[in-house]
Amino acid sequence: MDVRALETLRAVRSQGGVTAAAAVLHLTPSAVSQQLAALARDAGVPLTERVGRGLRLTAAGQALADAAVDVAVALERARAACAAWAGSPTGTVRVSAFQSAAWMLLPDLLTRVGAIGGITVECADEDVAQDAFAALTDRHDVVVAHRPAEGGPGWGEGVAVVPLLREPLDVAVPASSPLAGRAALDPGDLAGADWIAVREGFPVARVLADVAARSGATPRVVQRINDFHVVEALVAAGHGVALLPRYSSGGHPGVRLVPLTGVRAGRQVDALVRPDVAQRRVVAVVLGDLVALAEDVARG
């Protein structure tokens, strides 16, 4: 079987269709379809089936996509075994992070990796709904992602997960608010507050739902903004309160972060990487530096 066709099958599964897979593989949809057809002839069984105007993998296609991961991991291990004799690892590692994690981690990551020499880190900032983070690993070697720290779904199959840190979420209130002088706030203290929240499907929105459940009142969301620097500016101007991450907020002088009691409000920050990509020595170096940086952040 052709290794490139196996990679194409994996991409169709992870991206959810031929067109999206073609985009990450830098192929035309027609070329992707041709590779799938050739792979099905080699396999001797149908690997895809039509569903409406789209395409999905059959049970045989799913099984072969699982096996394709094993093939890719074995090939990368073989390359790594040879590379171990070539001296220090060299190459380019593409790292994506959601915006506040990029602010928190990427400047020092570039400094640390730059001091090693031989490794180039190409950075991107991408924040997506939680269920879309895993698919980003088809376009980036390392994807820094976030999810609610307590409960909720994980990242699904097909990605290796390197935990980085648990970041508490505090209540951001205007510095002029009577709440700003409190040592902590209970969810009940926030019943009736105007909330500035992130868009639905993002981790902090799910944490707000947990806070609301403890308060016994439906949160009154007046704005939905994903950029935390904008959120801070709105809070400072008195337009509401918000949940903001303790380590990666911008420190606006007009905002006070007050811890929550009665609910464990936090988000888990992880690095996601495809199992085969994780075998690359340069990727292992970058992951190691990310873990060390996250430990430094958590220690304060």
Side-chain angles (χ1 to χ4, degrees):
M1 292 182 180
D2 185 83
V3 171
R4 289 173 299 180
L6 290 172
E7 174 64 19
T8 298
L9 184 69
R10 287 180 65 189
V12 169
R13 177 169 70 174
S14 61
Q15 294 298 315
V18 168
T19 301
V24 300
L25 294 171
H26 305 291
L27 298 171
T28 65
S30 176
V32 169
S33 297
Q34 290 172 13
Q35 288 195 17
L36 292 177
L39 191 60
R41 288 194 296 270
D42 286 344
V45 293
L47 302 177
T48 60
E49 59 187 0
R50 285 283 175 190
V51 179
R53 299 179 63 182
L55 204 67
R56 71 181 177 191
L57 301 192
T58 62
Q62 295 283 358
L64 186 55
D66 290 338
V69 175
D70 297 333
V71 171
V73 169
L75 287 173
E76 289 296 344
R77 282 179 180 163
R79 294 188 182 103
C82 294
W85 297 93
S88 299
T90 61
T92 298
V93 180
R94 297 164 299 171
V95 178
S96 170
F98 60 95
Q99 283 82 359
S100 53
W103 179 88
M104 177 171 59
L105 297 172
L106 293 188
D108 287 340
L109 177 66
L110 290 174
T111 300
R112 289 178 69 115
V113 175
I116 299 171
I119 302 176
T120 299
V121 176
E122 293 182 353
C123 298
D125 61 318
E126 293 207 47
D127 196 6
V128 296
Q130 184 180 336
D131 58 5
F133 269 112
L136 293 179
T137 60
D138 285 341
R139 295 194 283 114
H140 305 282
D141 299 313
V142 178
V143 173
V144 180
H146 56 149
R147 60 177 176 82
E150 281 72 41
W155 302 115
E157 300 179 356
V159 294
V161 181
V162 179
L164 295 179
L165 59 89
R166 180 192 184 278
E167 185 172 20
L169 294 172
D170 296 329
V171 183
V173 300
S176 58
S177 167
L179 299 177
R182 300 277 294 273
L185 291 171
D186 183 88
D189 298 326
L190 302 165
D194 289 340
W195 283 94
I196 302 165
V198 299
R199 295 192 296 273
E200 292 289 354
F202 288 76
V204 179
R206 296 179 185 179
V207 177
L208 176 57
D210 293 340
V211 172
R214 293 296 184 95
S215 73
T218 301
R220 185 167 62 242
V221 176
V222 295
Q223 305 290 344
R224 289 198 180 273
I225 304 288
N226 273 37
D227 186 322
F228 288 150
H229 291 93
V230 177
V231 172
E232 284 186 293
L234 292 176
V235 171
H239 297 298
V241 301
L243 287 176
L244 286 179
R246 183 176 300 174
Y247 307 139
S248 55
S249 295
H252 194 292
V255 174
R256 295 290 181 272
L257 296 182
V258 184
L260 268 169
T261 60
V263 58
R264 282 179 53 81
R267 65 177 180 181
Q268 176 64 34
V269 180
D270 295 326
L272 311 183
V273 59
R274 292 188 352 168
D276 50 319
V277 173
Q279 304 301 317
R280 299 175 188 168
R281 294 177 69 204
V282 288
V283 171
V285 169
V286 170
L287 284 172
D289 280 340
L290 276 173
V291 170
L293 285 170
E295 290 173 350
D296 290 344
V297 169
R299 283 196 296 264

